[in-house]
Amino acid sequence: MDDLHLKEEVTASELLFKGNFLQAKRDTVRLPDGHTATREYIIHPGAVVVVPLLDDGRVVLERQFRYPVGHVMTEFPAGKLDAGEDPLLCGQRELLEETGYTATEWAHAGAMHLAVAYSTEIIHIYFARGLSLGARQLDHGEFLDVITATPEDLAGWCRDGTVSDAKTLTCTLWLQNVLSGAWTLDWKNGTSPDRAG
């Protein structure tokens, strides 16, 4: 597909803010019709979200306070990528640190762009099964509860607004399609650093 008639070209770029985690930029772009416009956006290092499947059919979720929205949110385990980190290794690390679970099998489901209008953030979606529970290794200053739910309960929470986190809503769509057999996953041994999929 030829998308050249839609592309914007950067003519100038300005760093507005550089924090420990995020950066904000303002770019001047040339539009396809030759006019110019500005684009303000956030540079994000990327992240991983994990859909942990228990042997009894339930999924593992977390509840934690999210400061920007001022609410406790119900979410699948997730975390940001460290510089150069393999997404699978990030998912394995985050699952263990936040929930205490390890998994024997992993499958890369896909990726999503969380907020394409103003952020570079990409979230890699992994499924994990063959779970074993150990001790959590929460980061300093990290407070969260680990809960479990049936896929039906989770879908109900998505429908009634209990779950409004975008990555968890997207992963619930993936979960429904995987469980119905409509979408398949390529499961790999959990000790391999290679991305599945």
Side-chain angles (χ1 to χ4, degrees), residues 82-97:
D82 291 335
E85 186 177 24
D86 180 273
L88 173 58
L89 297 179
C90 176
Q92 291 170 336
R93 174 177 52 80
E94 289 293 336
L95 182 65
L96 174 62
E97 287 178 0

Side-chain angles (χ1 to χ4, degrees), residues 142-164:
E142 191 172 31
F143 303 92
L144 56 88
D145 290 337
V146 177
I147 64 169
T148 61
T150 66
E152 295 76 21
D153 285 341
L154 176 57
W157 296 340
C158 293
R159 183 177 57 251
D160 70 17
T162 301
V163 170
S164 62

Side-chain angles (χ1 to χ4, degrees), residues 2 6-7 11 17 21 26 28 47 54 68 81-83 85 95 108 115 129 134 142 160 166 171 186 191 193 195:
D2 182 5
L6 300 173
K7 282 195 80 166
T11 59
F17 169 80
F21 173 39
R26 180 186 298 128
T28 303
L54 291 166
L81 289 163
D82 291 335
E85 186 177 24
L95 182 65
H108 181 249
R129 67 184 182 190
E142 191 172 31
D160 70 17
C171 288
D186 183 15
T191 61
R195 277 184 49 192

Side-chain angles (χ1 to χ4, degrees), residues 4 27 30 37-38 41 50 57 66 79 85 90 95 100 103 111 115 124 142 147-148 152 159 168 186 188 194:
L4 286 178
D27 290 355
R30 183 179 303 109
T38 58
Y41 60 101
V50 180
R66 292 298 197 175
E85 186 177 24
C90 176
L95 182 65
H124 304 275
E142 191 172 31
I147 64 169
T148 61
E152 295 76 21
R159 183 177 57 251
T168 303
D186 183 15
K188 305 286 186 187
D194 299 324

Side-chain angles (χ1 to χ4, degrees), residues 102-116:
T102 56
T104 59
E105 291 184 281
W106 290 78
H108 181 249
M112 66 175 156
H113 291 91
L114 192 62
V116 294

Side-chain angles (χ1 to χ4, degrees), residues 62 64-73 75-76 78 167:
E62 301 173 353
Q64 62 180 314
F65 183 78
R66 292 298 197 175
Y67 182 82
V69 295
H71 294 289
V72 173
M73 305 293 281
E75 311 169 41
F76 279 114
K167 68 184 178 300

